[in-house]
Amino acid sequence: MPDSMMDNVVLFPKTEKFYEDELTKLLRTEQYQEALEMLTFLLQFPNVDTIKSDQWEALRHWLLTMFPETVFPPSSVEEEDSEEEANLLRQYILDKAASDDGAFVRKLQTMLQEGTLEEQVSALEQLAFIEQLEVSQFVRTWLCERPRHPHLQFKALQTLKQMGEQGLIEFPKHGKTVLVEIEETPLAAEDFPLRIRDMIRRVGDISEISQPDFVYFATQTWQEFLAYAYGTAIYTELLRTEESAVDVWASALHAILQEKLFGTVDREELLDTYGIVDAMTLQWKRAHNVLTAFVKQFSPDPT
């Protein structure tokens, strides 16, 4: 966003706290590229306390100094290294699982049952490497026995797919019972159908000039929303939408995040930018209501 526009944008105290919590999570999980992008975004705000701004600038400088690879796109060599690291992690977990009479697996199962959200995600990511019938059955039972956070439910489906599981699975979600095919579960953002990926790409196309960092937060929110919607009637609707619905969902997401992050949105101008005409108004209001309900339930209000 150009400086002249940023002059009128205020970073509310709760918004600042929200981003700092997210930044801490990124650093704790060594997601340095994402942390650097967030710091670059935060440093654009002109009305932040000087001490806080200096801290962010110092942290940004530290990331660039200690992890210079964060400023360069991954090369094929780095991708090979990443694949090698994944193979090494897989082998380490398999060795641990086979060497201690099941104590390591039981520890992961306990973490999945009793841990925090982050610990449960970590347990699922590690269990995914253990292709044992009793382990996959444990994850199945855990997923199906009662409602879970949508992010955990989606992660569990990915885990089962990575274990080689197939077929239909039924579990409670949003007060209903959903039925999905394990092997159809996307393992990465690029595995979702093209039209669903186009929705977030459209946000990037619109915001890349005036708000180049906006798409980072939109992408994260969209991925969380897809996990929230997966297996439900909402996701089925996304799969069946016509091409015009790309602009409908993209603009609804843009409007909600614009208001959430900056406290205001010129809805009429935004809809005009996305080409939302009168005939699309009802569809747009429905998408906006669905996304609003998701944000209120699973994303803290930073304002």
Side-chain angles (χ1 to χ4, degrees):
M1 182 181 290
D3 291 342
S4 59
M5 295 179 67
M6 291 299 294
D7 288 342
N8 298 319
V9 177
V10 177
L11 189 63
F12 296 101
K14 288 185 179 179
T15 311
E16 183 179 308
K17 175 66 165 54
F18 172 78
Y19 284 131
E20 290 211 309
D21 288 345
E22 291 298 309
L23 184 60
T24 299
K25 292 178 185 177
L26 292 174
L27 294 172
R28 186 185 301 140
T29 54
E30 299 183 2
Q31 299 180 66
Y32 299 128
Q33 174 68 40
E34 292 81 358
L36 183 64
E37 291 174 357
M38 182 175 287
L39 286 167
T40 301
F41 173 76
L42 291 173
L43 285 166
Q44 294 180 96
F45 290 90
N47 299 317
V48 176
D49 178 75
T50 303
I51 296 177
K52 181 63 64 179
S53 179
D54 289 344
Q55 290 175 346
W56 289 341
E57 184 59 52
L59 180 56
R60 182 176 181 276
H61 177 74
W62 178 80
L63 284 172
L64 291 172
T65 302
M66 299 301 295
F67 306 98
E69 67 276 9
T70 60
V71 300
F72 301 109
S75 66
S76 58
V77 173
E78 289 170 336
E79 290 173 357
E80 290 174 5
D81 289 344
S82 178
E83 184 176 350
E84 183 178 351
E85 288 176 5
N87 290 333
L88 289 173
L89 176 60
R90 178 187 183 90
Q91 191 58 53
Y92 169 78
I93 291 174
L94 290 175
D95 290 344
K96 286 280 290 182
S99 65
D100 58 3
D101 296 324
F104 178 70
V105 172
R106 289 194 295 274
K107 179 181 178 181
L108 292 178
Q109 291 174 332
T110 300
M111 189 187 302
L112 182 58
Q113 289 177 314
E114 303 175 3
T116 64
L117 180 64
E118 290 181 0
E119 289 171 338
Q120 289 175 307
V121 170
S122 177
L124 286 168
E125 289 176 344
Q126 295 179 71
L127 287 169
F129 291 113
I130 304 173
E131 298 177 9
Q132 298 176 8
L133 180 60
E134 59 271 24
V135 176
S136 60
Q137 186 58 52
F138 178 87
V139 176
R140 278 178 175 267
T141 301
W142 177 88
L143 172 61
C144 299
E145 64 186 0
R146 63 181 177 85
R148 308 282 182 182
H149 191 290
H151 181 73
L152 288 175
Q153 291 177 321
F154 188 67
K155 177 60 71 173
L157 289 172
Q158 291 178 318
T159 296
L160 289 169
K161 181 176 180 177
Q162 289 176 279
M163 288 174 163
E165 293 292 303
Q166 295 183 347
L168 294 169
I169 187 168
E170 192 175 67
F171 57 93
K173 186 171 186 176
H174 305 330
K176 299 182 179 180
T177 299
V178 300
L179 185 68
V180 302
E181 290 190 55
I182 295 173
E183 62 268 31
E184 295 297 319
T185 306
L187 294 179
E190 58 268 22
D191 294 335
F192 283 94
L194 179 61
R195 187 149 295 168
I196 289 178
R197 285 184 279 135
D198 280 346
M199 292 172 182
I200 193 62
R201 177 192 55 77
R202 183 72 170 125
V203 176
D205 291 344
I206 293 295
S207 62
E208 64 180 352
I209 297 177
S210 61
Q211 298 169 292
D213 299 300
F214 183 81
V215 71
Y216 165 74
F217 301 98
T219 300
Q220 283 205 323
T221 303
W222 186 244
Q223 290 302 316
E224 292 169 3
F225 171 69
L226 292 178
Y228 163 85
Y230 192 76
T232 70
I234 298 170
Y235 189 77
T236 301
E237 179 182 336
L238 289 173
L239 291 176
R240 296 175 178 174
T241 52
E242 299 177 355
E243 187 174 352
S244 60
V246 169
D247 284 327
V248 169
W249 283 92
S251 58
L253 177 66
H254 196 141
I256 288 170
L257 290 182
Q258 183 83 17
E259 188 168 12
K260 183 180 178 68
L261 296 175
F262 305 118
T264 183
V265 58
D266 188 333
R267 184 175 295 186
E268 184 176 341
E269 179 181 354
L270 187 66
L271 295 185
D272 183 62
T273 301
Y274 276 92
I276 305 300
V277 297
D278 290 345
M280 303 161 69
T281 300
L282 287 178
Q283 188 181 13
W284 188 89
K285 286 182 177 179
R286 167 166 166 69
H288 188 272
N289 288 339
V290 169
L291 287 166
T292 298
F294 156 71
V295 169
K296 285 183 177 179
Q297 186 174 0
F298 291 104
S299 183
D301 184 1
T303 59

